[in-house]
Amino acid sequence: MPHSTVLGIDRPILVCAVPVRSISMVNPPSECEAVELRLDYMGGDLEVKLNEVSDLIKGLLSRVKVIVTVRDPEEGGGNWVDPSLKLKVIRIAHENGALVDVEVEFARKYANSITSWSEVILSRHVLNSRSNIRSTIASDYALASSMKALTYKVATINTDDLPALVELLVKEGEVPVAIVPMQPIQRAAAIMLGTALMYCSIGDGTAPGQLSVEECVRIKRERIRLISS
């Protein structure tokens, strides 16, 4: 996963986003460099099927990197999940060797309950208009740096936020930065600019504007070609 502060040729990691509505073995395409399991889509089944979730993670980790995500509706998630259950899922993910995606506000509130920050993607989802996006992401990034998070990710629905996101990416410090706009053309631009992660669809998408993994691969190859030439 991302570890270099240099916007190198290997970026971004292409993450296939999978909405998990029932426990079944996911068979991601070979183009997927990581798989995000969106467990919030399970609804009430999540709490009663934690053992099956553990088995699903183990099975996938034998083939591909795994990111476990449980997101609430105000963060773009499918269903509300009790914080205590989220912490159980985070523990299970870390025990099995998977990474987790944690929202900034949840991280601030439950920082003492999360021990493996080096395996955490700290996320900010901007789903409405914000006039202070620069100050928000600067504060988030300071938190990510202090916790030594694996990556800081910011996703936004606002087209006007792109300059602030690009500035954050270009000025990246020790913690790699992933920028995820919601517009397809901006997602393509983010890949070309060397975002640390890009989330791609393999069927049903989990966010507006997701490019298919085939499109992500094509754009990343073009980035590599341009850098290498």
Side-chain angles (χ1 to χ4, degrees):
M1 294 301 291
H3 62 277
S4 173
T5 59
V6 178
L7 303 186
I9 196 169
D10 58 328
R11 293 169 65 142
I13 299 295
L14 300 181
V15 182
C16 292
V18 179
V20 181
R21 294 184 174 87
S22 63
I23 295 295
S24 60
M25 182 50 65
V26 178
N27 187 26
S30 59
E31 293 88 351
C32 301
E33 298 171 342
V35 171
E36 181 193 40
L37 299 177
R38 284 290 304 278
L39 298 180
D40 46 279
Y41 281 82
M42 291 183 65
D45 285 345
L46 178 58
E47 186 165 17
V48 298
K49 294 188 176 180
L50 290 179
N51 288 336
E52 290 92 333
V53 166
S54 179
D55 291 340
L56 174 64
I57 293 169
K58 290 176 185 175
L60 282 172
L61 278 170
S62 65
R63 293 179 286 156
V64 67
K65 296 180 178 70
V66 175
I67 302 167
V68 172
T69 302
V70 182
R71 188 164 294 133
D72 289 340
E74 64 267 25
E75 304 157 351
N79 296 280
W80 184 83
V81 178
D82 187 271
S84 63
L85 180 54
K86 283 187 184 182
L87 291 171
K88 288 180 183 178
V89 172
I90 290 170
R91 187 191 72 248
I92 288 170
H94 281 164
E95 287 175 350
N96 285 304
L99 308 173
V100 296
D101 188 308
V102 177
E103 290 291 318
V104 172
E105 303 310 327
F106 186 87
R108 292 186 192 278
K109 190 171 183 179
Y110 296 98
N112 293 334
S113 300
I114 302 173
T115 56
S116 303
W117 284 104
S118 62
E119 298 171 324
V120 169
I121 298 166
L122 194 64
S123 290
R124 165 72 65 181
H125 284 77
V126 181
L127 302 179
N128 49 41
S129 179
R130 278 178 179 263
S131 59
N132 60 340
I133 184 66
R134 277 188 167 83
S135 62
T136 297
I137 61 180
S139 175
D140 290 351
Y141 192 70
L143 177 67
S145 298
S146 69
M147 292 178 166
K148 301 187 185 323
L150 179 74
T151 306
Y152 170 61
K153 180 187 77 181
V154 54
T156 177
I157 63 169
N158 301 313
T159 57
D160 293 344
D161 288 344
L162 186 61
L165 270 57
V166 172
E167 181 181 343
L168 179 69
L169 178 62
V170 170
K171 294 181 178 179
E172 177 182 282
E174 290 296 323
V175 175
V177 170
I179 59 172
V180 187
M182 297 296 178
Q183 294 73 28
I185 188 64
Q186 291 191 352
R187 285 182 182 249
I191 294 174
M192 294 298 289
L193 289 168
T195 178
L197 306 169
M198 181 49 67
Y199 291 73
C200 316
S201 70
I202 55 172
D204 293 340
T206 58
Q210 277 183 349
L211 301 170
S212 69
V213 66
E214 293 81 9
E215 291 173 307
C216 289
V217 168
R218 179 175 56 81
I219 297 166
K220 180 176 177 177
R221 285 175 178 166
E222 181 64 11
R223 165 183 158 78
I224 292 172
R225 185 189 70 81
L226 290 173
I227 293 175
S228 303
S229 61

